[in-house]
Amino acid sequence: MLKAGALYFSIIVAFIIAVICASLIMLAAHYRGNYLKEMRMARLSRNMDSGIAYILAESTNNRQNNIALDLFGDQTDSVLIEKKHWGIFALATVKSFVLADTLKRSFLMGQETSNDTIAVYLSDEDRPLSVSGDTRITGNVEVPKAGMRKSYVDSRPYSGDQLVYGKIGDSKRTLKGLESTWIKEIESELDFDPVQLPNLNGADEQVSFFASVKKFNVSRLSQITNQLSGQVILYSDTTVKISAAAKLDNTIIYAKSIVVADGFKGNCQLFARDSIVLGNDVTLNYPSVLGLVSKEKMVDQAKITLGKNNRFEGIIFSYEPKRSALQTLVGLGEQTTVQGEVYATGLIKLDKKVKVAGKVSCNRFIMKTPATLYENFLIDVTLNRKARSRVYLSSAIFTGGAEKQNILRWQN
């Protein structure tokens, strides 16, 4: 005969067993849920990679803005791709989703330049290219049929043992033109009337690349001192002055003229009609852009001028629709370093101790000393195509999308 206490004991044991079983079931459900979540996230990640590979394989000049993909045709693996131009680069946003789960990335795309080994392209105006002093050109060059020669300047001869540390080829009468699609888009932005836009006040702006772009009128500002990052575009029908205290990251500015104060540091794309002037000790990080798109029959010479001891990483270009008597000018001040490309449908002025790690293209070089103006002379400058970073990516404004695309920068 069992004692009465045995019943209580059996109830307690049963309760403990039930708690243990329930805990095991809950633990199994928890691990199963996490496992399924990890599987979904891995699937979303694979789909994201597929979407990125798809957009990188597309032509840069394909202006299709929204692409919806059902990757495997079973309506369970969907990718949405949004694409547009951000300055002179392509901007893509890829969203991978399964039911309520979503992954998204935003990034700039650029063109690979491994096939372009040119360090200097000088249009053939029947004038030779002269090198003097401690000038060094590393990489292939394409110069006028008149060739290259060593010259004396200020009683100093050329100190190198080779004219070019690479191959010398013949150039054509004109530069290879910029892609009209991109130029027309920049022109339309430069001609945009900013009156209809809100004024940029003293507040800082940080706009995600997953959100809508914010546009502001800065025509009435004496200078820009704000901290701006992300999808922010500024417009002005006058001169824009950027203070050294301003913080610009990914910002685009379209204006008649732009002046950047001494000591400014940032990352931006600046486009102007008349002029872009950078002070001394300015640092613009990759992938920055200085773009001058002038009009026909301008009274003054359109120009981009960089002061002394600047460090620029990205693309500098000038463009005019028809060759004028006063061709556009790109001037690089003494001890300025450029990592990227310099292109001028006109003149490039290189002061002494300028270094360009990349490519330089123009109709004519000029250099001015206190006594003389030299044409097609390179004096104490370093132009080194091989020194440019291997991961550097260019813009389709040069290539027309003929080169392979890759991810230039993750935006979010």
Side-chain angles (χ1 to χ4, degrees):
M1 184 176 180
L2 295 175
K3 295 182 179 180
L7 180 59
Y8 294 111
F9 180 76
S10 61
I11 292 174
I12 292 173
V13 171
F15 176 76
I16 293 174
I17 293 173
V19 170
I20 293 174
C21 291
S23 299
L24 291 174
I25 293 172
M26 292 177 64
L27 186 62
H30 173 74
Y31 278 107
R32 176 177 172 80
N34 283 344
Y35 172 76
L36 292 176
K37 183 178 180 179
E38 289 179 4
M39 292 294 291
R40 287 197 305 273
M41 295 306 294
R43 187 172 185 174
L44 286 172
S45 181
R46 290 195 298 270
N47 292 347
M48 172 71 70
D49 292 340
S50 297
I52 292 173
Y54 178 89
I55 196 64
L56 290 176
E58 283 281 295
S59 170
T60 306
N61 293 326
N62 186 349
R63 297 301 304 277
Q64 188 174 0
N65 292 326
N66 296 299
I67 306 171
L69 300 176
D70 181 9
L71 292 176
F72 305 109
D74 55 7
Q75 299 182 348
T76 59
D77 298 276
S78 300
V79 173
L80 179 63
I81 301 172
E82 299 176 1
K83 177 180 154 186
K84 64 180 181 180
H85 288 172
W86 186 250
I88 62 170
F89 300 106
L91 172 67
T93 300
V94 179
K95 298 180 181 179
S96 170
F97 56 94
V98 175
L99 299 177
D101 294 324
T102 303
L103 286 181
K104 54 186 179 181
R105 296 299 303 268
S106 181
F107 54 92
L108 288 178
M109 295 183 291
Q111 310 293 117
E112 293 189 357
T113 60
S114 56
N115 294 329
D116 184 5
T117 60
I118 303 297
V120 175
Y121 185 96
L122 178 64
S123 298
D124 190 351
E125 294 183 333
D126 299 320
R127 304 181 185 185
L129 176 63
S130 300
V131 291
S132 178
D134 294 328
T135 293
R136 295 292 183 273
I137 302 175
T138 304
N140 300 333
V141 302
E142 293 185 7
V143 296
K145 293 181 177 63
M148 297 183 64
R149 65 187 183 190
K150 301 178 182 179
S151 296
Y152 279 79
V153 175
D154 295 334
S155 301
R156 294 180 58 219
Y158 177 62
S159 62
D161 55 4
Q162 296 178 224
L163 287 172
V164 174
Y165 295 86
K167 299 179 181 178
I168 301 177
D170 294 335
S171 63
K172 297 180 180 179
R173 287 288 182 179
T174 58
L175 291 170
K176 181 181 179 181
L178 301 178
E179 290 298 316
S180 60
T181 302
W182 295 82
I183 293 297
K184 289 178 180 178
E185 185 173 316
I186 295 171
E187 288 180 325
S188 66
E189 296 290 340
L190 287 170
D191 293 336
F192 180 76
D193 187 359
V195 174
Q196 56 189 293
L197 297 176
N199 293 321
L200 179 68
N201 52 33
D204 299 331
E205 295 287 344
Q206 184 174 0
V207 183
S208 169
F209 276 89
F210 298 135
S212 298
V213 62
K214 285 189 177 183
K215 301 179 179 181
F216 297 97
N217 180 2
V218 295
S219 300
R220 298 182 180 179
L221 283 183
S222 58
Q223 64 177 349
I224 296 174
T225 59
N226 309 62
Q227 295 189 18
L228 308 174
S229 65
Q231 283 201 98
V232 178
I233 304 179
L234 309 181
Y235 295 85
S236 175
D237 54 10
T238 60
T239 298
V240 172
K241 296 182 179 179
I242 303 174
S243 166
K247 303 294 182 182
L248 305 182
D249 183 25
N250 271 312
T251 308
I252 297 178
I253 300 178
Y254 297 99
K256 182 178 180 181
S257 300
I258 300 174
V259 178
V260 182
D262 294 352
F264 172 81
K265 295 181 180 180
N267 164 252
C268 52
Q269 298 188 55
L270 309 179
F271 301 95
R273 281 290 193 190
D274 294 351
S275 64
I276 301 176
V277 179
L278 273 61
N280 301 325
D281 301 305
V282 173
T283 300
L284 289 177
N285 298 317
Y286 182 74
S288 292
V289 177
L290 303 179
L292 183 72
V293 179
S294 68
K295 291 184 176 181
E296 291 187 44
K297 300 180 180 179
M298 291 187 62
V299 177
D300 297 322
Q301 185 180 37
K303 56 187 177 181
I304 299 174
T305 305
L306 281 69
K308 296 181 180 179
N309 198 33
N310 284 359
R311 180 170 180 82
F312 181 88
E313 298 176 349
I315 295 171
I316 302 173
F317 76 92
S318 69
Y319 168 84
E320 59 180 352
K322 186 177 180 180
R323 184 164 178 169
S324 61
L326 292 174
Q327 299 182 63
T328 61
L329 169 69
V330 175
L332 306 183
E334 188 175 335
Q335 293 186 328
T336 286
T337 300
V338 175
Q339 178 85 219
E341 296 170 77
V342 183
Y343 175 102
T345 53
L347 316 176
I348 290 182
K349 177 177 175 290
L350 302 178
D351 289 348
K352 291 184 178 181
K353 298 183 180 180
V354 166
K355 296 181 180 180
V356 179
K359 182 178 181 180
V360 177
S361 305
C362 65
N363 289 332
R364 193 183 311 162
F365 289 108
I366 62 172
M367 183 170 186
K368 188 175 182 179
T369 66
T372 310
L373 175 66
Y374 295 93
E375 293 189 348
N376 281 0
F377 272 70
L378 296 177
I379 306 169
D380 294 336
V381 299
T382 302
L383 308 177
N384 191 338
R385 170 62 181 84
K386 295 182 180 179
R388 190 167 71 188
S389 172
R390 294 183 179 180
V391 297
Y392 171 86
L393 297 177
S394 183
S395 165
I397 195 171
F398 296 120
T399 66
E403 300 293 335
K404 180 181 177 182
Q405 293 185 104
N406 213 326
I407 296 172
L408 186 150
R409 169 175 169 164
W410 295 105
Q411 300 293 69
N412 287 98

